[in-house]
C-alpha cells in the first residue's frame, strides 16, 4: 500500500522528478529567510528586495492555479512570499514615513 502511494508520488506530473516539485521547495527557503528578517531593524530592509518578493508572490500565486497540473505547493509558497513581503514593506514604510522623530533628552 505504502509503496504504491510512493510510486504514485514519484510518477506524478508535479512529482520529485520535475522542476515543478523543486522550484517551490527552493522558494520556501526565500520565505523562511524573509521570516528570519522579521527581527531585522526596518532601516536595514531593502525596498527593491521586498517589492520583488511581494510581486513574485502575488503574480505566481495567481498563475499557479492556472497551470496544469495544479501545484498547491507552488500556490502555498507564493502566498507565503506575498504575505511576508507585504509585512516587511509595511514595516519599512511605517519606519520611513510615519515614525515620529523622538527628541533627544539633553543632559545637563
Amino acid at each position: 500500500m505504502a509503496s504504491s502511494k510512493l510510486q504514485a508520488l514519484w510518477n506524478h506530473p508535479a512529482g520529485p522528478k520535475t522542476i515543478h516539485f523543486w522550484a517551490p521547495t527552493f522558494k520556501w527557503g526565500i520565505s523562511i529567510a524573509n521570516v528570519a528578517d522579521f527581527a531585522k531593524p526596518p532601516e536595514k530592509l531593502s525596498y527593491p528586495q521586498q517589492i520583488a518578493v511581494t510581486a513574485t508572490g502575488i503574480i505566481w500565486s495567481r498563475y499557479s492555479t492556472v497551470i496544469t497540473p495544479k501545484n498547491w505547493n507552488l500556490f502555498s509558497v507564493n502566498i507565503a512570499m506575498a504575505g511576508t513581503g507585504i509585512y516587511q514593506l509595511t514595516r519599512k514604510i511605517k519606519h520611513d514615513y510615519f515614525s515620529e522623530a523622538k527628541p533627544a533628552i539633553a543632559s545637563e
Side-chain angles (χ1 to χ4, degrees):
M1 178 77 166
S3 65
S4 65
K5 288 187 178 190
L6 188 58
Q7 186 73 24
L9 172 67
W10 186 254
N11 292 324
H12 191 272
K17 294 191 294 185
T18 68
I19 191 66
H20 303 293
F21 177 83
W22 292 106
T25 304
F26 287 114
K27 286 180 89 173
W28 277 112
I30 296 169
S31 293
I32 292 167
N34 216 18
V35 169
D37 285 346
F38 286 177
K40 189 185 277 189
E43 58 270 8
K44 297 206 178 218
L45 295 174
S46 162
Y47 279 115
Q49 178 183 2
Q50 295 307 322
I51 289 169
V53 168
T54 304
T56 299
I58 291 170
I59 292 166
W60 285 104
S61 62
R62 165 69 177 111
Y63 286 109
S64 64
T65 60
V66 176
I67 59 174
T68 303
K70 288 193 179 2
N71 190 335
W72 295 109
N73 187 20
L74 182 62
F75 177 74
S76 300
V77 73
N78 285 309
I79 291 296
M81 287 183 77
T84 60
I86 289 168
Y87 175 72
Q88 294 286 49
L89 279 173
T90 303
R91 286 181 58 219
K92 180 75 170 161
I93 291 168
K94 281 182 184 177
H95 177 269
D96 289 351
Y97 298 106
F98 298 107
S99 64
E100 294 180 18
K102 297 178 181 171
I105 299 174
S107 60
E108 295 180 37

